[in-house]
């Protein structure tokens, strides 16, 4: 019998647990540890902020779902990982102390490094958790004129909600007849082509932004914030009345215990999702060091690969699955400008780009599918 411990109850951890439960016999013990029993479906947080869904629609209770799949769930904080003793230490939860493992899947996501932008905490909204999305939504409700600024800080790895928020605000103001009173700006530390990773995708997005009179300002690295102004590294000031930024990302603090991270704290893994230089440890999701945006579908695919290879390792077989780094997303413009993009990040082949209302609908169907299949 093998004891498998999975850290993190996000896309990566949940899918790894589900797949292992499917692939391993009942004699093996699978335990999932996460600080909250709530799984949050992050791609729906823009819709939550704009009151198109409710908190209950974007989360589900992990304990219940995991039990259904014969996975033990522990609600607690992961305080320490010892990959040589093969144990983790958990605190502040239903159970405290050391938990030994035979195999580990690390899926603790990323850290929001808000401290890297002076004034972020006081002056910026973000929507990277349920409470923050709701509080951003309240600010949107009070906003009727002036300038709204959206963007990624340097080191942020998540363009989708930036554009979706700008489109959602434009649509809301258009419906209320208030659009003329508001200037909407998207700022980026790079260019649209780099942010979207493909020229055709960038051109399609640019057209959609222009259709809503949303201006795009490239190459602005936000460095600090005051109450009404975002100041860039080169000293330019961008005034705002409403500000939503994706803060810089860094690796999970607990990843440092594995002793094999890059300078931003992301874990080195190979294509089988095994952690470099460590035995019996896999890592998946936002915590690993692949290039480009950090996305839920990547975490899901990495978890599937890790689960297949871990099951093979337990049974004494060679790895059976390899991860291919691809990017696939929908930017929901809530209409015909909605954009689907798929690109293989390992090649120079152009992306597949599609645009139309279908993709807005498809994104919501996908959200419903997750909710129904996990609650
Ligand atoms: C607003 C928004 C919109 C997005 N839109 C899209 C989209 O359209 N398409 C897409 O593909 N992706 C999207 N993403 C990105 C996607 O949500 C992430 O890439 C994905 O959640 C990563 O999954 P993960 O399992 O690696 O990490 P997470 O989902 O962050 O899960 C990590 C888990 O570990 C837990 N945890 C962390 N540290 C500890 C600790 N010390 N102890 C115990 N538990 C801990 C956390 O509570 C969490 O449950 C979006 C994200 C956001 C925020």
């Amino acid at each position: 019998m093998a004891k498998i411990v999975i850290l993190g109850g996000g896309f990566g951890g949940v899918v790894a647990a589900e797949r292992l439960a499917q692939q391993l016999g009942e004699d093996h013990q699978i335990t999932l540890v996460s600080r909250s029993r709530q799984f949050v479906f992050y791609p729906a947080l823009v819709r939550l902020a704009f009151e198109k869904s409710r908190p209950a629609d974007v989360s589900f209770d992990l304990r219940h779902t995991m039990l259904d799949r014969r996975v033990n769930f522990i609600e607690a904080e992961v305080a320490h990982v010892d990959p040589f003793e093969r144990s983790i230490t958990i605190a502040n939860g239903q159970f405290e102390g050391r938990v030994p493992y035979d195999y580990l899947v690390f899926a603790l996501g990323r850290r929001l490094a808000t401290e890297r932008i002076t004034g972020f905490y006081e002056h910026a909204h973000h929507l990277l958790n349920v409470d923050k999305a709701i509080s951003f939504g309240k600010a949107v409700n009070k906003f009727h004129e002036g300038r709204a600024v959206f963007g990624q800080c340097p080191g942020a790895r998540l363009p989708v909600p930036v554009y979706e928020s700008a489109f959602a605000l434009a649509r809301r103001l258009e419906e209320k007849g208030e659009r003329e009173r508001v200037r909407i700006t998207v700022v980026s530390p790079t260019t649209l082509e780099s942010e979207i990773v493909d020229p055709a995708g960038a051109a399609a997005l640019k057209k959609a932004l222009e259709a809503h009179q949303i201006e795009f300002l490239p190459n602005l690295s936000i460095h600090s914030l005051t109450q009404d102004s975002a100041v860039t590294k080169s000293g330019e000031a961008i005034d705002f009345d409403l500000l939503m930024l994706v803060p810089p990302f860094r690796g999970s603090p607990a990843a440092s215990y594995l002793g094999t991270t890059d300078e931003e704290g992301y874990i080195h893994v190979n294509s089988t999702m095994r952690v470099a230089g460590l035995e019996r440890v896999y890592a998946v999701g936002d915590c690993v060091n692949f290039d480009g945006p950090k996305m839920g579908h990547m975490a899901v695919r990495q978890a599937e690969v890790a689960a297949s290879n871990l099951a093979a390792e337990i049974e004494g077989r060679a790895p059976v699955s390899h991860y291919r780094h691809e990017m696939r997303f929908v930017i929901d413009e809530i209409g015909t400008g909605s954009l689907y993009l798929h690109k293989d990040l390992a090649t120079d082949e152009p992306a597949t780009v599609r645009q139309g209302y279908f993709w807005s609908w498809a994104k919501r169907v996908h959200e419903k599918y997750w909710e129904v299949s996990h609650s």
Side-chain angles (χ1 to χ4, degrees):
M1 183 200 89
K3 280 189 186 146
I4 301 139
V5 173
I6 299 161
L7 307 181
F11 284 96
V14 166
V15 171
E18 288 174 346
R19 294 294 187 271
L20 284 164
Q22 282 163 2
Q23 290 174 44
L24 292 174
E26 301 217 345
D27 42 335
H28 300 293
Q29 193 188 87
I30 306 169
T31 303
L32 178 68
V33 183
S34 197
R35 66 160 65 103
S36 163
R37 67 170 65 181
Q38 291 299 311
F39 171 91
V40 177
F41 191 87
Y42 289 111
L45 291 185
V46 176
R47 289 173 50 73
L48 177 71
F50 284 85
E51 297 174 328
K52 301 289 182 199
S53 58
R54 297 160 305 155
D57 300 330
V58 303
S59 60
F60 61 81
D61 190 315
L62 273 177
R63 184 188 306 267
H64 173 75
T65 316
M66 287 296 115
L67 268 180
D68 245 23
R69 290 164 169 77
R70 73 164 190 89
V71 175
N72 305 313
F73 177 73
I74 300 177
E75 185 175 8
E77 184 75 18
V78 176
H80 190 262
V81 180
D82 188 331
F84 304 104
E85 291 290 322
R86 294 200 184 121
S87 73
I88 62 154
T89 306
I90 57 177
N92 302 331
Q94 57 177 117
F95 172 79
E96 305 204 346
R98 283 179 70 238
V99 180
Y101 65 79
D102 299 311
Y103 296 89
L104 185 71
V105 180
F106 190 105
L108 292 179
R110 68 293 163 280
R111 179 175 83 79
L112 301 183
T114 51
E115 77 286 352
R116 301 184 76 86
I117 309 291
T118 310
F120 191 101
Y121 183 78
E122 299 88 332
H123 306 304
H125 288 281
H126 72 75
L127 40 66
L128 281 86
N129 65 45
V130 170
D131 291 345
K132 292 291 181 185
I134 291 172
S135 115
F136 170 57
K138 285 183 182 157
V140 167
N141 284 339
K142 289 190 209 142
F143 176 72
H144 302 284
E145 59 186 344
R147 188 182 192 186
V149 174
F150 299 89
Q152 294 198 85
C153 296
R157 310 268 291 262
L158 193 59
V160 174
V162 170
Y163 296 98
E164 289 193 339
S165 302
F167 286 130
L169 180 64
R171 290 246 176 223
R172 170 171 299 191
L173 294 168
E174 285 158 14
E175 278 162 23
K176 286 182 164 177
E178 293 177 344
R179 183 66 188 90
E180 297 308 314
R181 295 195 229 156
V182 174
R183 178 177 173 191
I184 304 180
T185 305
V186 173
V187 296
S188 163
T190 63
T191 61
L192 202 53
E193 287 73 16
S194 314
E195 225 164 64
I196 300 305
V197 201
D198 181 76
L205 182 57
K206 188 164 177 266
K207 225 170 90 192
L209 291 170
E210 283 169 0
H212 290 280
Q213 288 100 44
I214 298 169
E215 69 178 331
F216 178 82
L217 302 179
N219 302 317
L220 292 175
S221 294
I222 292 173
H223 171 266
S224 61
L225 302 175
T226 66
Q227 199 180 350
D228 51 16
S229 178
V231 182
T232 68
K233 261 188 199 146
S234 52
E236 279 169 273
I238 304 148
D239 294 343
F240 62 81
D241 300 285
L242 177 71
L243 178 69
M244 196 292 286
L245 290 177
V246 178
F249 288 2
R250 289 294 180 272
S252 157
S256 62
Y257 300 119
L258 301 182
T260 175
T261 56
D262 66 14
E263 66 283 0
E264 293 193 343
Y266 298 114
I267 301 165
H268 293 293
V269 287
N270 64 22
S271 67
T272 68
M273 303 315 298
R274 271 270 304 271
V275 174
L278 289 178
E279 286 183 359
R280 302 188 182 196
V281 184
Y282 294 76
V284 301
D286 283 5
C287 63
V288 301
N289 77 336
F290 289 103
D291 291 341
K294 299 217 166 265
M295 310 214 63
H297 74 88
M298 295 171 180
V300 166
R301 182 64 199 133
Q302 291 163 8
E304 289 169 348
V305 169
S308 300
N309 292 331
L310 199 160
E313 189 179 352
I314 289 175
E315 290 159 7
R317 293 182 285 119
V320 288
S321 186
H322 291 268
Y323 172 69
R324 194 170 177 92
H325 196 37
E326 295 179 1
M327 183 171 81
R328 200 185 290 272
F329 63 70
V330 170
I331 295 178
D332 186 4
E333 179 262 359
I334 327 172
T336 54
S338 298
L339 180 78
Y340 165 82
L341 185 144
H342 172 223
K343 186 169 171 68
D344 184 338
L345 295 171
T347 69
D348 288 334
E349 292 298 309
T352 303
V353 179
R354 301 278 181 267
Q355 210 162 13
Y357 185 75
F358 171 80
W359 299 105
S360 173
W361 175 82
K363 189 160 184 169
R364 268 172 276 153
V365 170
H366 186 239
E367 179 186 325
K368 276 284 155 222
Y369 171 76
W370 254 86
E371 190 188 331
V372 171
S373 56
H374 290 91
S375 53

